[in-house]
Amino acid sequence: MKFKAFLTENGVNLLEKRFLPALDKMGKICHLYLTRDHTMFLHNLLNGDGIQSVAQFRKEALFDDYRISSQNEDRIAFAIDISLLQRAVRSSVSICTEFGSGPTQNRLQIKLVKKLPPNCTQPMPFLTFETKGYKSAVIQDVPISKPFSRAQVIELQTGLDMAQDLPQTLVQVPDLNQLQNFVDRLKHVGDLLNVSISKYGDLLVQISTTLITVGAEFQKLLVIGEQADAPAEDRNLSAQTRSARAILRGDAQSVQVSVKHFAKSLQCHLAKPDCAFYGIAPQGACLTVIFQFFIPGSRQTDKSISLHCRLPVLDPGSS
């Protein structure tokens, strides 16, 4: 089992300044899954607790001189502490840029190794960062779990495949800051958030308690997938009534999720996505959030990067 690659300048910027800060908000420990073509950071795919998140990169987006081999069809997976990984990348970059130019600039090598730690009798696995400045070389070892067995890799791959299912209707939320500000105010009202999404391009987010109902509606959003025209007779009705009627017609779905989970998923704005899509899985199985990234300077989707979350529902939903 071998893995070795050089982190590119673009890879450093993506991880250090965008994705690792966002993924750290998802959970302290994640699974790093390496294949011949992709690098993936996976949260909660092997258990049903908390938010599932999948960040996937084509190898060219992060690395050059990428080499991997294993008996599991060149697939390697292990658990790693995101904060330790973030710290190693950050400090390695500072060494790399010690003199700012020259052939060693940003030549940050990352590889899997086994080492014998102090006071231990058994070698332990590490993800090692090696940086070479003008007069110095620094090696940083990030401890990882024992690499997964073939059966564990298959289980992780199965969880990943299941997490790729797309809702039949997705609505685009262009302004995540507006949604985040609203949810931040809702944290003190209650713990459960009702989310309704219609084929008309409506997103209704609300909290109800015995004393108060507070909500926000986003209308005429861009719809991807199954869509429909809103009935004219519903135009002057309240958001709640329109949503209820759309659900009865089969034109909308509604689920209940944790306010904390919803707020945590919005922390993905740290990865600097260009927009986000929300959708509800068939039978209200989960709330899915897909973040879209554009190629810099364009409105074309950057297919080398993907990030999405699946929020567990707290009731079976209605469809």
Side-chain angles (χ1 to χ4, degrees):
M1 185 178 294
K2 295 179 181 178
F3 168 70
K4 182 167 66 173
F6 285 95
L7 202 54
T8 63
E9 187 172 0
N10 183 57
V12 165
N13 288 333
L14 280 174
L15 291 180
E16 183 204 5
K17 297 176 181 175
R18 295 171 60 181
F19 278 84
L20 290 181
L23 295 173
D24 192 38
K25 300 290 186 181
M26 295 295 105
K28 178 180 171 65
I29 304 295
C30 82
H31 292 121
L32 186 50
Y33 184 27
L34 307 163
T35 70
R36 291 170 191 154
D37 300 309
H38 294 94
T39 297
M40 289 161 272
F41 296 86
L42 311 174
H43 277 96
N44 296 320
L45 259 61
L46 297 181
N47 59 57
D49 299 329
I51 299 177
Q52 291 186 342
S53 76
V54 176
Q56 179 170 291
F57 305 86
R58 282 190 190 158
K59 62 182 181 183
E60 297 83 4
L62 300 179
F63 303 108
D64 61 18
D65 199 9
Y66 182 95
R67 302 179 187 185
I68 186 171
S69 64
S70 81
Q71 294 180 340
N72 294 331
E73 299 176 359
D74 295 337
R75 298 181 296 182
I76 299 172
F78 48 85
I80 191 166
D81 185 313
I82 291 279
S83 59
L84 294 181
L85 179 61
Q86 192 176 358
R87 195 181 309 160
V89 171
R90 190 177 295 135
S91 55
S92 296
V93 168
S94 66
I95 298 294
C96 271
T97 55
E98 181 183 359
F99 283 83
S101 60
T104 61
Q105 185 188 17
N106 282 327
R107 292 303 282 173
L108 169 53
Q109 189 180 57
I110 179 172
K111 58 185 176 181
L112 274 180
V113 300
K114 265 192 171 184
K115 290 186 177 182
L116 191 66
N119 305 317
C120 288
T121 57
Q122 293 288 331
M124 303 288 287
F126 294 91
L127 192 64
T128 290
F129 291 79
E130 185 173 333
T131 52
K132 294 178 181 178
Y134 179 63
K135 292 183 178 179
S136 61
V138 175
I139 294 175
Q140 296 184 88
D141 297 324
V142 180
I144 62 172
S145 71
K146 180 181 177 182
F148 281 16
S149 65
R150 179 183 293 271
Q152 289 173 313
V153 168
I154 291 171
E155 185 184 4
L156 189 64
Q157 181 64 53
T158 301
L160 179 61
D161 293 341
M162 291 174 63
Q164 305 287 13
D165 291 340
L166 287 178
Q168 292 160 324
T169 297
L170 289 163
V171 296
Q172 183 187 41
V173 179
D175 189 353
L176 284 177
N177 289 329
Q178 186 181 1
L179 191 55
Q180 185 162 21
N181 290 336
F182 175 70
V183 173
D184 284 342
R185 295 198 300 272
L186 289 184
K187 286 180 187 176
H188 309 292
V189 178
D191 299 325
L192 305 179
L193 190 70
N194 292 301
V195 181
S196 300
I197 295 172
S198 78
K199 296 177 184 178
Y200 317 141
D202 298 338
L203 170 66
L204 177 63
V205 181
Q206 63 179 16
I207 283 183
S208 296
T209 69
T210 53
L211 298 175
I212 190 173
T213 295
V214 184
E217 185 184 34
F218 302 85
Q219 287 188 282
K220 298 180 180 177
L221 302 174
L222 173 69
V223 179
I224 291 181
E226 292 186 8
Q227 48 194 286
D229 294 325
E233 64 267 22
D234 286 6
R235 197 170 296 156
N236 297 320
L237 300 175
S238 70
Q240 279 181 289
T241 304
R242 279 188 284 104
S243 177
R245 288 165 66 98
I247 289 170
L248 287 173
R249 290 190 200 100
D251 286 342
Q253 284 184 289
S254 179
V255 291
Q256 196 172 65
V257 297
S258 157
V259 173
K260 288 183 179 178
H261 285 166
F262 196 88
K264 186 180 283 191
S265 71
L266 288 170
Q267 293 297 318
C268 287
H269 80 277
L270 293 169
K272 300 176 184 175
D274 291 286
C275 62
F277 292 88
Y278 282 76
I280 296 172
Q283 285 78 52
C286 67
L287 177 66
T288 300
V289 192
I290 299 172
F291 299 93
Q292 187 177 31
F293 300 87
F294 295 144
I295 295 169
S298 79
R299 297 285 295 176
Q300 288 184 303
T301 300
D302 187 344
K303 294 182 179 178
S304 69
I305 306 170
S306 69
L307 174 63
H308 75 273
C309 302
R310 286 157 54 101
L311 282 64
V313 299
L314 304 178
D315 71 350
S318 53
S319 56

